[in-house]
Amino acid sequence: MKHEESTFLAWITRMSFIQRWALMPRLTTRFWVDAYLTRLRVNDIAAFVVAHGDDTAGAVLVKSATLDGKAQLFQRSYDLLEDTRVWAVLSEGDERDVDASIAKQRQFDSDVWVIEVEDRQGRTLLGEQGLQ
């Protein structure tokens, strides 16, 4: 039995992130969004759902508005060099320009979720454990 276990572990470690990800059970998007909104609320950061996407597998965009006319838009991306998923800045600058970027994304993908976070300090908590 030991040999079979070690062979399986060796096989798993040789797999790419995408291959391992395909084997892992996944959270629904709705579950992740609800957990994210709760985490923000616990940290006294205002956030709300601007667009409700597909509950099961919709993509998520997070807009961070600093309430001074500026904003950033984050999207989950895959970092090939690090073999991980990261939150990458899709757009930043004037809030109107960021809103236009969101509108463009929604034209391509009607199942996308859009969460707006309003915090003068620009906190999104996206880099925290469990949210990457």
Side-chain angles (χ1 to χ4, degrees), residues 27-35 53-60 111 113:
L27 297 176
T28 65
T29 303
R30 176 62 186 255
F31 186 88
W32 187 92
V33 168
D34 288 344
D54 180 71
D55 283 342
T56 306
V60 178
D111 290 333
W113 287 76

Side-chain angles (χ1 to χ4, degrees), residues 51-84:
H52 184 271
D54 180 71
D55 283 342
T56 306
V60 178
L61 299 177
V62 176
K63 175 186 169 186
S64 172
T66 52
L67 307 174
D68 62 356
K70 301 291 181 195
Q72 287 184 306
L73 182 62
F74 296 91
Q75 172 182 321
R76 290 281 297 271
S77 296
Y78 182 73
D79 183 343
L80 292 172
L81 296 176
E82 297 294 322
D83 196 27
T84 59

Side-chain angles (χ1 to χ4, degrees), residues 7-129:
T7 303
F8 177 75
L9 290 174
W11 176 73
I12 288 289
T13 56
R14 284 193 308 268
M15 296 173 73
S16 73
F17 174 82
I18 292 175
Q19 290 168 323
R20 287 190 309 271
W21 182 76
L23 292 175
M24 294 172 36
R26 290 177 238 156
L27 297 176
T28 65
T29 303
R30 176 62 186 255
F31 186 88
W32 187 92
V33 168
D34 288 344
Y36 180 53
L37 293 173
T38 300
R39 176 98 50 111
L40 291 167
R41 198 170 25 256
V42 166
N43 285 279
D44 293 321
I45 300 172
F48 50 94
V49 175
V50 175
H52 184 271
D54 180 71
D55 283 342
T56 306
V60 178
L61 299 177
V62 176
K63 175 186 169 186
S64 172
T66 52
L67 307 174
D68 62 356
K70 301 291 181 195
Q72 287 184 306
L73 182 62
F74 296 91
Q75 172 182 321
R76 290 281 297 271
S77 296
Y78 182 73
D79 183 343
L80 292 172
L81 296 176
E82 297 294 322
D83 196 27
T84 59
R85 295 187 319 173
V86 296
W87 286 96
V89 175
L90 183 63
S91 176
E92 65 183 324
D94 185 66
E95 190 168 1
R96 280 185 252 160
D97 295 337
V98 171
D99 288 339
S101 182
I102 292 170
K104 187 183 293 185
Q105 290 295 316
R106 296 214 52 223
Q107 286 177 347
F108 294 117
D109 184 1
S110 61
D111 290 333
V112 69
W113 287 76
V114 181
I115 300 172
E116 183 163 340
V117 178
E118 294 182 344
D119 184 69
R120 292 189 190 284
Q121 299 169 4
R123 297 176 298 163
T124 63
L125 307 181
L126 291 174
E128 286 195 355
Q129 182 71 27

